Amino acid sequence: IINKGDEQFNSPAVIISNHQSFLDILSIIMLNPRIILMTNDWVWKSPVFGFVVRMADYFPVAKGIDNNLDQLKAKFQQGYSIAVFPEGTRSPDGEMKRFHKGAFFLAEQLGADILPVMLHGTGDAMGKGDFLLKDGHIIIEILPRIKPSDGAYGEGYAERTKSISRQFKATHRERRQLYEQGKWFRKKL
C-alpha cells in the first residue's frame, strides 16, 4: 500500500478506482471499515455475493444514483466513504476504459472530495473470467484527494469526469511502465 499523503480516511469521500479483478473490491474495502460500494446488478442479485452486499448496505448501480441519492447522503453524513469503479466493469486486459459520470455526479451532489485509489496487479493475480488466484504482487496507491473547489479539473461533473479520467489514466500508464519490468512478467512466463 502506497500512501504518500498519509490518507487516514477521517473524512468521507467518493473513492474512485480502476477495475481489473474481483480482488479490487477486497482491496478497496480493506482500506477502512467505513467504505461502502456501488455494485453492479449481477453482484446485487448473485446467489453467492448478493446476501453479503445487501447486508453490508452496498448500493446497486442499476437503480441509478438519483434513486439512491437520499440513502447515499445519509451514509455519507454518517461518515461513510462511497467507492465507485467509474469504468463500470472489469477491464479484461488491464487497459483502463471510459469513465462513466456517476461517481462524479455523486461527488458533486454530496459536496464530497474525490479520492482516487489506483490498483495495480489485481488483474494479473485474478483477471476477468479467472476462477483461480495466481501468485502475484498487488499495489494499492492512494492518490491525493481532489476537493470540490479544485478548479484545476474543470467545473461541473461532466467536465471533471473527463479531466480526472485523463489524469488517472496517465498516472496509471506511468505506474505500469515503472512496475512492469522484466521481473514483473517472470511468473507469467
Side-chain angles (χ1 to χ4, degrees), residues 81-182:
S81 291
I82 301 163
V84 181
F85 296 108
E87 294 170 276
T89 187
R90 292 172 289 168
S91 168
D93 59 4
E95 291 296 320
M96 291 180 62
K97 306 299 181 209
R98 179 181 75 85
F99 277 18
H100 297 275
K101 296 179 182 110
F104 306 93
F105 172 74
L106 179 61
E108 184 177 275
Q109 293 297 305
L110 298 175
D113 295 348
I114 294 173
L115 181 58
V117 176
M118 185 162 305
L119 303 174
H120 187 269
T122 56
D124 291 327
M126 183 180 238
K128 188 172 184 175
D130 286 348
F131 296 102
L132 297 174
L133 183 63
K134 298 184 276 285
D135 192 15
H137 191 80
I138 295 172
I139 300 166
I140 303 167
E141 185 174 358
I142 303 166
L143 300 172
R145 282 178 180 249
I146 301 169
K147 299 283 183 192
S149 59
D150 187 347
Y153 295 96
E155 297 297 323
Y157 72 92
E159 192 175 329
R160 289 173 67 85
T161 301
K162 291 176 187 174
S163 182
I164 293 170
S165 173
R166 277 192 300 272
Q167 179 63 41
F168 198 99
K169 289 174 184 174
T171 303
H172 186 256
R173 279 189 300 274
E174 290 171 12
R175 297 308 189 268
R176 285 187 76 178
Q177 289 176 353
L178 177 67
Y179 301 138
E180 294 178 14
Q181 301 297 320

Side-chain angles (χ1 to χ4, degrees), residues 4-68:
K4 291 181 181 175
D6 195 32
E7 176 63 49
Q8 297 296 311
F9 298 93
N10 292 332
S11 61
V14 173
I15 299 170
I16 61 167
S17 182
N18 54 314
H19 199 18
Q20 302 174 6
S21 169
F22 178 73
L23 298 174
D24 300 342
I25 295 167
L26 302 174
S27 298
I28 294 294
I29 63 172
M30 76 170 212
L31 294 173
N32 190 285
R34 296 186 68 81
I35 296 174
I36 56 174
L37 288 167
M38 297 293 293
T39 64
N40 278 338
D41 202 32
W42 77 266
V43 176
W44 186 259
K45 293 178 179 178
S46 167
V48 178
F49 306 115
F51 177 74
V52 174
V53 299
R54 288 189 297 275
M55 291 298 292
D57 283 338
Y58 292 177
F59 291 88
V61 174
K63 287 185 178 179
I65 299 278
D66 287 336
N67 293 328
N68 287 318

